[in-house]
Structures are given as C-alpha cells and as structure tokens.
Amino acid sequence: MLEVYHSLVTKYCRKRQHSVYKGMTARIQLAALDHNQNIGREQAATSEGITRYDVFPEATKAWVAKPIAETKSYEYLHKISTSVLKSRSMEQNPIRHHKAKSPPVDLATNIAGHEQPPKEEIICRTSTRLH
C-alpha cells in the first residue's frame, strides 16, 4: 500500500523537476488529499451488476485476477487547483512544463510462460488466496 502512495506522490512531485520548499509541500499535500479521497473505493461493476476484474500474469508467471476499483473522483481538487493556479499566476514565474521523450521499448506481449486460462478460473483461484 505504501508503494501505491509513493507512486501517487510522483504524479504530483516529479523527481526530475525542481520545486521550492513551499511548492513541494503543497504538491505532497495534494497527493495526500488525492490518496485519502480515493482509498477504499468500491469494486467496479458492469451495467449488468457483474463485478469487474483485471487479469494479468504475475512475476511468478502465474495468472492472477485483481478487482478493479471504481473510477477515481477528482471533484474535490477543482477548487484547490483553481486557487493554486490563481495564486501562482499572481507571481512573476510562470509554470513551465517539460515533456521528456522516452525511447521506444520493445516488450513481450505476454510475460507468462503459458497462455491465459479462462478469466473465471483465474478469479476463482485468486479469490481463494485473498481470503
């Protein structure tokens, strides 16, 4: 769970972008708000009411099923973002965005050692390990 939070912090605080102390503090606080607002989301379901799962091969090359959570909500951030941008625009330094070009990566389409079994079988096997 801590890895998930740290990953979220890097969404707001880029490792390659310098920020002043106040800016870094504000970014970490935004990450904490995002995390706290969206933790414990219910499992997503289809329009027919069937719970949704994501099926993928693990590092052990066994197929696993992970419950898909409902979509995150960012409504609470609109007011905060507007206030931050308004206060930032009053300063002389505009916000600069840098996009780093990443080299193309040739990845295997499937890291598992065998083909994917039926989704229901993976969900059944994974859910017994979770409980």
Side-chain angles (χ1 to χ4, degrees):
M1 188 60 95
L2 189 57
E3 279 184 29
V4 174
Y5 174 71
H6 285 159
S7 175
L8 182 64
V9 168
T10 60
K11 175 182 171 183
Y12 291 94
C13 305
R14 306 278 183 204
K15 291 181 178 183
R16 295 178 182 249
Q17 180 181 357
H18 173 73
S19 296
V20 295
Y21 179 75
K22 286 182 181 181
M24 184 65 75
T25 302
R27 290 170 180 269
I28 290 173
Q29 289 171 343
L30 281 172
L33 287 169
D34 186 351
H35 176 74
N36 291 341
Q37 181 69 30
N38 290 295
I39 196 152
R41 290 176 287 150
E42 297 293 322
Q43 186 172 355
T46 62
S47 57
E48 294 83 28
I50 302 169
T51 54
R52 297 184 57 209
Y53 289 89
D54 187 18
V55 176
F56 57 94
E58 247 183 359
T60 60
K61 298 187 178 183
W63 288 92
V64 295
K66 177 184 170 192
I68 298 175
E70 291 178 340
T71 306
K72 289 175 84 170
S73 169
Y74 293 101
E75 291 177 21
Y76 67 97
L77 283 177
H78 180 69
K79 214 176 212 182
I80 295 170
S81 300
T82 304
S83 176
V84 168
L85 290 173
K86 187 184 287 185
S87 68
R88 181 69 180 166
S89 67
M90 291 179 190
E91 297 177 11
Q92 294 299 321
N93 295 330
I95 298 173
R96 293 186 188 102
H97 297 283
H98 300 283
K99 287 192 173 188
K101 292 182 180 177
S102 56
V105 180
D106 186 26
L107 298 176
T109 56
N110 185 350
I111 65 168
H114 52 282
E115 288 300 311
Q116 176 180 342
K119 190 173 184 176
E120 293 75 23
E121 180 184 323
I122 299 168
I123 292 169
C124 182
R125 185 175 61 234
T126 306
S127 62
T128 57
R129 280 197 283 164
L130 295 175
H131 300 292

mmCIF file of all heavy atoms in Angstrom, residues 16 99-107:
data_model
loop_
_atom_site.group_PDB
_atom_site.id
_atom_site.type_symbol
_atom_site.label_atom_id
_atom_site.label_comp_id
_atom_site.label_asym_id
_atom_site.label_seq_id
_atom_site.Cartn_x
_atom_site.Cartn_y
_atom_site.Cartn_z
ATOM 1 N N ARG A 16 12.335 14.692 -11.470
ATOM 2 C CA ARG A 16 13.273 15.468 -12.276
ATOM 3 C C ARG A 16 12.907 16.948 -12.354
ATOM 4 O O ARG A 16 13.462 17.688 -13.147
ATOM 5 C CB ARG A 16 13.343 14.890 -13.683
ATOM 6 C CG ARG A 16 13.923 13.509 -13.697
ATOM 7 C CD ARG A 16 13.932 12.965 -15.111
ATOM 8 N NE ARG A 16 14.459 11.620 -15.120
ATOM 9 C CZ ARG A 16 15.610 11.280 -15.650
ATOM 10 N NH1 ARG A 16 16.351 12.187 -16.224
ATOM 11 N NH2 ARG A 16 16.013 10.046 -15.621
ATOM 12 N N LYS A 99 8.315 18.052 -21.280
ATOM 13 C CA LYS A 99 7.974 16.675 -21.632
ATOM 14 C C LYS A 99 9.245 15.973 -22.073
ATOM 15 O O LYS A 99 9.892 16.381 -23.027
ATOM 16 C CB LYS A 99 6.932 16.628 -22.753
ATOM 17 C CG LYS A 99 5.563 17.032 -22.302
ATOM 18 C CD LYS A 99 4.558 16.686 -23.356
ATOM 19 C CE LYS A 99 3.168 16.950 -22.813
ATOM 20 N NZ LYS A 99 2.135 16.476 -23.688
ATOM 21 N N ALA A 100 9.583 14.932 -21.356
ATOM 22 C CA ALA A 100 10.757 14.146 -21.719
ATOM 23 C C ALA A 100 10.357 13.103 -22.753
ATOM 24 O O ALA A 100 9.307 12.481 -22.645
ATOM 25 C CB ALA A 100 11.331 13.465 -20.480
ATOM 26 N N LYS A 101 11.194 12.957 -23.755
ATOM 27 C CA LYS A 101 10.926 11.944 -24.764
ATOM 28 C C LYS A 101 11.502 10.629 -24.280
ATOM 29 O O LYS A 101 12.670 10.544 -23.902
ATOM 30 C CB LYS A 101 11.555 12.336 -26.092
ATOM 31 C CG LYS A 101 10.909 13.543 -26.726
ATOM 32 C CD LYS A 101 11.533 13.850 -28.061
ATOM 33 C CE LYS A 101 10.875 15.070 -28.679
ATOM 34 N NZ LYS A 101 11.507 15.432 -29.949
ATOM 35 N N SER A 102 10.676 9.608 -24.279
ATOM 36 C CA SER A 102 11.155 8.298 -23.849
ATOM 37 C C SER A 102 11.443 7.453 -25.085
ATOM 38 O O SER A 102 10.712 7.507 -26.072
ATOM 39 C CB SER A 102 10.125 7.609 -22.959
ATOM 40 O OG SER A 102 8.904 7.517 -23.633
ATOM 41 N N PRO A 103 12.517 6.663 -25.018
ATOM 42 C CA PRO A 103 12.852 5.833 -26.171
ATOM 43 C C PRO A 103 11.833 4.712 -26.328
ATOM 44 O O PRO A 103 11.224 4.274 -25.350
ATOM 45 C CB PRO A 103 14.237 5.277 -25.810
ATOM 46 C CG PRO A 103 14.288 5.323 -24.328
ATOM 47 C CD PRO A 103 13.448 6.508 -23.929
ATOM 48 N N PRO A 104 11.616 4.250 -27.550
ATOM 49 C CA PRO A 104 10.678 3.140 -27.744
ATOM 50 C C PRO A 104 11.195 1.884 -27.059
ATOM 51 O O PRO A 104 12.392 1.610 -27.063
ATOM 52 C CB PRO A 104 10.619 2.975 -29.261
ATOM 53 C CG PRO A 104 11.839 3.647 -29.785
ATOM 54 C CD PRO A 104 12.221 4.693 -28.787
ATOM 55 N N VAL A 105 10.288 1.157 -26.443
ATOM 56 C CA VAL A 105 10.646 -0.049 -25.715
ATOM 57 C C VAL A 105 9.988 -1.237 -26.395
ATOM 58 O O VAL A 105 8.797 -1.206 -26.692
ATOM 59 C CB VAL A 105 10.173 0.044 -24.242
ATOM 60 C CG1 VAL A 105 10.537 -1.213 -23.494
ATOM 61 C CG2 VAL A 105 10.782 1.252 -23.574
ATOM 62 N N ASP A 106 10.772 -2.279 -26.635
ATOM 63 C CA ASP A 106 10.251 -3.489 -27.260
ATOM 64 C C ASP A 106 9.947 -4.496 -26.157
ATOM 65 O O ASP A 106 10.858 -5.124 -25.618
ATOM 66 C CB ASP A 106 11.267 -4.057 -28.248
ATOM 67 C CG ASP A 106 10.717 -5.228 -29.033
ATOM 68 O OD1 ASP A 106 9.480 -5.288 -29.194
ATOM 69 O OD2 ASP A 106 11.510 -6.077 -29.468
ATOM 70 N N LEU A 107 8.685 -4.599 -25.770
ATOM 71 C CA LEU A 107 8.274 -5.500 -24.699
ATOM 72 C C LEU A 107 7.551 -6.705 -25.271
ATOM 73 O O LEU A 107 6.850 -6.608 -26.280
ATOM 74 C CB LEU A 107 7.335 -4.779 -23.723
ATOM 75 C CG LEU A 107 7.920 -3.591 -22.991
ATOM 76 C CD1 LEU A 107 6.849 -2.921 -22.153
ATOM 77 C CD2 LEU A 107 9.070 -4.020 -22.101
#
